[in-house]
Amino acid sequence: MTDKADTKLQIADLTKSFGSLLALDNLNLDVQAGEFIALVGPSGCGKTTLLRILAGLEEPDLGGIWIDGREVAGPGSDRAVVFQADCLLPWRSVWHNTVIGLEINGRLDARNREYAMSLLELVGLKGFEKYYPWQLSGGMRQRVNLARALAVQPEVLLMDEPFSALDAQTREIMQVELLRIWEQGKKTVLFITHQIDEAVFLADKVVVLGRRPGRIREVLPVTLPRPRPLEIKRTAEFGHLVDTIWNLIEQDVRQSISEENARLEIGAD
Amino acid sequence: MTIATDGAVPPAGTAPTPSRPGTSRRRRNVPTSPARQKLISVASVVGGLLIWELLGRFVVSNSLFLATPLQAMAELARMTASGELQYHVWVSGQEFIYGFLIASIAGIAIGLAMASSRAANAALGPWVAGLYATPIIAIAPLVILWAGIGIWSKVIVVISVVIFPVIINTEAGIRSTDKALVEAIRSFGASRTQLFTKVMLPSALPFILAGLRLGIGRGLIGVVVGELFGARAGVGFVILQSAEVFNMPRLFAGVAVLAAAGIALMALCRAAETKLVPWNRS
Ligand SMILES: Nc1ncnc2c1ncn2[C@@H]1O[C@H](COP(=O)(O)OP(=O)(O)OP(=O)(O)O)[C@@H](O)[C@H]1O
Ligand SMILES: [Mg+2]
């Protein structure tokens, strides 16, 4: 369908199991350069596992990942992760957290410093360089997290439920901010979320994963125009897309919830 | 720092569990202003000394059993004027500083080794756990026997009591590093060495400092007990000598010096913590 030359990230035949538990089963996905992909799916379907393999934190059993046609293994600064939890180093100021990726890769030169500074401005944290994480709100911390990931100028940005710990208002603000920042550089983004409306609002394509073992059930293009204001969430088209996706995973989510409950009950005995 | 705010420092445990830094919070339900708290603290100390002074004068007037604070202070002044105090403090101070420094450096090194190598942990773990729980001060007479009554026997005693909390806290500090932080930095392609120096070590720093603080109290006890078992000089020696001749003002002067040393060292430690781990006190 799309030109192979434009493929930024290629995931081929990815399989991963933990002991007898098959987490990912022969997963294939091509992501175009500059594309914003949202990944949704029921809890436990392997989203985080996929992201960890992409980040090089976990080894796949089978299959591989290619970025710009090069196979990648292990962590590297061609990818950067924005994690769900607060993963800032508490003993480093905002500035020193932002540049740690550069520092680790020995790339902390004047030009990259300047770039990191411009990123802090972009995420709205200019003037907070000397602050420590505990002096910031949750939303601000997640902005630093984002700046830290962008600072290494990754080819692909990986995000695992980055806003799930934020309150509803901050979350919406961060969604708008993320889009604004993304429009500036058009990075290739893989964004995991549980919130379908978040996925639709942000993404060019929503990839729906089925219940474990993780397989792609459906890839839905989101044709909403950009830039997208928050009000777009109230349009009929938006609601229709959310409904479609919800219907796709409803059955799976119900099953995985009841499985989880069963597991908890067994654990409680 | 007033005594009232001391709740914010890690507890000085004696169990082999490391004291966890920065988990306790100041109580908010008592609306006492800091100035008022300070006043209460000062009043409490002054009042206590006053009661002691009165007890010593009018109730336990036998000077063979109790000296009053004023008598102890007068004795301190006399000893300072003659230069005697400085001499004994210098001797004990050397014993403490040498012992404490050696124990800190060796303890941190051993703790780091235990945290980063399973083999080292397996080999040293049982010794450390066993000796930490043992009242190792009991070997002090033996050390005096071996190393003589000079300062080195006391240095050895200090090392033997200070090193274990330092090892245990260092090791626990490294081990308790947040896995999520390690992964986040690893995702940038950090090497093992980089993970160690940029994540694990800073994360363990509050624990290491808490271990050193535990070591201060234990080290002071080590100096005094060591000197009680055999010495020619030092604050513990002064106390022992005074007790033998029932010179109570001199004995209490010695105790006062120890108390002052403990308070000063703790304050120093807290200042170092504020400076080195500012993130740990929100
Ligand atoms: N290190 C591991 N060891 C064993 N099992 C694991 C490990 N990591 C993940 N799993 C299992 O693999 C499956 C997929 O987990 P994963 O965390 O990828 O799910 P997820 O889609 O991210 O779920 P959620 O939406 O709840 O975050 C789960 O059943 C999980 O229990
Ligand atoms: Mg997950």
Side-chain angles (χ1 to χ4, degrees):
Chain A
M1 188 172 83
T2 41
D3 187 357
K4 248 323 187 221
D6 261 6
T7 305
K8 186 60 144 186
L9 169 72
Q10 195 182 0
I11 300 166
D13 305 329
L14 212 59
T15 302
K16 174 77 187 175
S17 46
F18 297 103
S20 61
L21 187 143
L22 188 58
L24 293 176
D25 186 18
N26 200 24
L27 193 131
N28 289 279
L29 182 68
D30 282 6
V31 182
Q32 307 310 118
E35 218 172 12
F36 198 126
I37 301 286
L39 266 165
V40 297
S43 183
C45 72
K47 302 182 293 293
T48 298
T49 305
L50 170 62
L51 187 119
R52 287 173 53 84
I53 293 174
L54 289 171
L57 294 171
E58 200 94 64
E59 289 261 324
D61 298 337
L62 287 173
I65 304 146
W66 284 262
I67 290 177
D68 290 328
R70 278 177 299 105
E71 182 160 17
V72 292
S77 57
D78 49 354
R79 291 141 290 151
V81 191
V82 180
F83 293 93
Q84 164 186 0
D86 209 338
C87 288
L88 298 177
L89 301 175
W91 50 87
R92 282 182 172 238
S93 63
V94 166
W95 170 252
H96 285 107
N97 265 295
T98 306
V99 298
I100 186 157
L102 294 168
E103 205 179 300
I104 277 168
N105 289 287
R107 285 164 48 197
L108 195 53
D109 53 23
R111 213 166 49 91
N112 282 330
R113 260 178 234 269
E114 207 169 296
Y115 180 64
M117 202 48 111
S118 73
L119 281 175
L120 279 181
E121 191 167 357
L122 184 66
V123 300
L125 283 174
K126 201 177 160 63
F128 288 92
E129 295 86 354
K130 293 210 169 74
Y131 282 57
Y132 283 90
W134 56 268
Q135 295 171 306
L136 306 176
S137 70
M140 289 162 98
R141 281 198 287 250
Q142 220 38 327
R143 286 163 200 259
V144 181
N145 238 331
L146 184 60
R148 173 176 81 175
L150 290 171
V152 295
Q153 291 174 279
E155 300 290 336
V156 180
L157 190 61
L158 306 167
M159 307 179 86
D160 190 358
E161 302 186 39
F163 306 148
S164 62
L166 305 177
D167 62 84
Q169 284 90 38
T170 313
R171 172 189 270 263
E172 293 217 314
I173 291 167
M174 287 301 289
Q175 290 167 359
V176 175
E177 286 287 283
L178 177 62
L179 280 190
R180 180 180 64 82
I181 291 160
W182 176 74
E183 308 263 358
Q184 309 264 321
K186 291 268 175 171
K187 283 259 179 280
T188 310
V189 181
L190 221 85
F191 188 104
I192 293 176
T193 177
H194 268 135
Q195 298 224 322
I196 295 165
D197 71 320
E198 184 169 75
V200 172
F201 179 68
L202 293 173
D204 295 317
K205 281 180 193 161
V206 178
V207 175
V208 182
L209 291 182
R211 220 160 60 84
R212 201 176 55 230
R215 279 198 202 109
I216 293 177
R217 285 200 54 171
E218 194 89 52
V219 179
L220 287 113
V222 180
T223 47
L224 300 169
R226 290 186 192 274
R228 297 176 186 164
L230 266 180
E231 294 77 57
I232 212 165
K233 290 190 179 185
R234 289 197 288 273
T235 62
E237 198 185 347
F238 188 94
H240 179 71
L241 266 167
V242 170
D243 282 347
T244 312
I245 296 168
W246 175 239
N247 288 333
L248 272 170
I249 59 174
E250 184 185 13
Q251 188 72 22
D252 283 352
V253 169
R254 281 191 205 293
Q255 274 203 25
S256 79
I257 286 172
S258 63
E259 262 179 25
E260 208 125 291
N261 285 344
R263 207 167 352 139
L264 287 179
E265 273 157 30
I266 291 165
D269 282 344
Chain B
M1 271 286 165
T2 62
I3 294 162
T5 56
D6 273 5
V9 302
T14 44
T17 40
S19 44
R20 181 166 261 287
T23 44
S24 52
R25 238 167 244 154
R26 259 173 247 174
R27 248 178 273 151
R28 283 257 169 264
N29 53 351
V30 190
T32 314
S33 73
R36 226 182 118 81
Q37 285 173 18
K38 196 150 208 156
L39 195 72
I40 293 173
S41 301
V42 171
S44 163
V45 172
V46 171
L49 289 175
L50 196 69
I51 291 171
W52 178 5
E53 183 73 36
L54 294 174
L55 274 176
R57 279 186 191 214
F58 304 112
V59 185
V60 194
S61 46
N62 188 340
S63 67
L64 291 182
F65 292 115
L66 189 69
T68 72
L70 285 179
Q71 286 168 339
M73 267 192 268
E75 177 61 18
L76 265 181
R78 199 195 60 72
M79 289 172 79
T80 313
S82 70
E84 209 186 338
L85 181 75
Q86 291 87 322
Y87 170 65
H88 290 296
V89 167
W90 169 237
V91 170
S92 294
Q94 272 183 308
E95 293 164 353
F96 177 83
I97 289 168
Y98 290 154
F100 189 80
L101 283 182
I102 294 169
S104 305
I105 293 166
I108 291 171
I110 295 171
L112 293 181
M114 282 175 66
S116 42
S117 146
R118 276 175 214 275
N121 200 334
L124 299 172
W127 289 98
V128 172
L131 289 172
Y132 184 66
T134 310
I136 204 163
I137 198 94
I139 64 153
L142 196 63
V143 174
I144 308 288
L145 213 61
W146 287 341
I149 58 172
I151 72 163
W152 290 103
S153 55
K154 266 68 79 184
V155 171
I156 293 171
V157 173
V158 171
I159 294 173
S160 67
V161 291
V162 173
I163 198 167
F164 295 106
V166 178
I167 295 176
I168 285 177
N169 264 44
T170 304
E171 201 243 333
I174 297 280
R175 228 178 342 95
S176 69
T177 307
D178 188 348
K179 296 257 176 345
L181 288 186
V182 176
E183 291 242 300
I185 303 309
R186 193 157 75 86
S187 75
F188 287 111
S191 67
R192 261 182 69 104
T193 317
Q194 283 175 323
L195 286 178
F196 198 77
T197 55
K198 290 188 195 294
V199 187
M200 287 151 149
L201 211 50
S203 149
L205 196 55
F207 285 81
I208 296 175
L209 290 175
L212 293 180
R213 199 176 30 190
L214 279 177
I216 287 179
R218 293 168 63 109
L220 281 177
I221 294 172
V223 166
V224 175
V225 173
E227 287 177 355
L228 290 182
F229 282 114
R232 278 184 235 106
V235 180
F237 171 76
V238 168
I239 291 172
L240 180 70
Q241 218 187 22
S242 315
E244 279 169 353
V245 299
F246 295 97
N247 185 345
M248 289 302 125
R250 197 170 153 87
L251 190 152
F252 278 101
V255 174
V257 168
L258 289 176
I263 292 166
L265 287 169
M266 285 298 177
L268 200 71
C269 205
R270 228 165 356 239
E273 274 178 29
T274 317
K275 185 124 189 73
L276 291 172
V277 292
W279 69 89
N280 202 35
R281 36 183 62 237
S282 42

